[in-house]
Amino acid sequence: MPNLTRPLAAALLLTLTGCGGLTLTPEPEVENATHAAILDEVAAAAAISAYRVQHGLSPVVVDPTLVKAASFQANNNARHGQLSHEIGGSFTSRMASAGLAKSWAAENLSAGSETLEQVLARWKASPEHNKNMLLPQIRRIGIARVDAPGTRYKRFWALVMAGA
């Protein structure tokens, strides 16, 4: 996966090019897909925080706006049955729509992991995803999981991280 840890001051570029942002309203639900019964975002933030603290970094907190952004992307990926940072619009345009144009932001996606522990292990093992989770500027996260049993991967994950 490409590293998407660019600061979103690049929103200026969006303004200059006239690109419109996307509204992060929920996409229609994936046919035969269900959101996980309960994805404990607080537990996810605690696990990511513990990992960051082990590396001398600050902990993170759950941000409802970022949860919405993560849900938007996980649902888009599940609906299309593929893993892509571009489905639903570019990361930069999606973050600008979420009001994060002037903040550090990064996104980790995954598909196929059954549990939070599995997806975190995958992201830690991936140099680019791990780098995102260990960005010193990150203070807030949103995480989402969408189950899509009729797709190849069955389960889609999105983690959106942003600065203060």
Side-chain angles (χ1 to χ4, degrees), residues 4 68 89 113:
L4 295 175
K68 185 176 178 182
S113 295

Side-chain angles (χ1 to χ4, degrees), residues 61 63 65-71 73 91 94-95 98 100 105-109 123 138 140-144 158-162:
V61 297
D63 180 300
T65 299
L66 297 179
V67 171
K68 185 176 178 182
S71 295
Q73 196 59 14
F91 179 67
R94 288 185 285 110
M95 294 304 97
L100 298 168
E107 176 177 72
N108 285 357
L109 301 177
W123 287 331
I138 298 303
R140 302 173 291 136
I141 68 156
I143 189 165
L159 171 65
V160 178
M161 302 156 278

Side-chain angles (χ1 to χ4, degrees), residues 59-100:
V60 295
V61 297
V62 175
D63 180 300
T65 299
L66 297 179
V67 171
K68 185 176 178 182
S71 295
F72 177 83
Q73 196 59 14
N75 194 54
N76 276 319
N77 278 258
R79 204 172 84 247
H80 288 88
Q82 66 185 45
L83 198 58
S84 170
H85 290 281
E86 301 302 317
I87 292 174
S90 72
F91 179 67
T92 302
S93 68
R94 288 185 285 110
M95 294 304 97
S97 293
L100 298 168

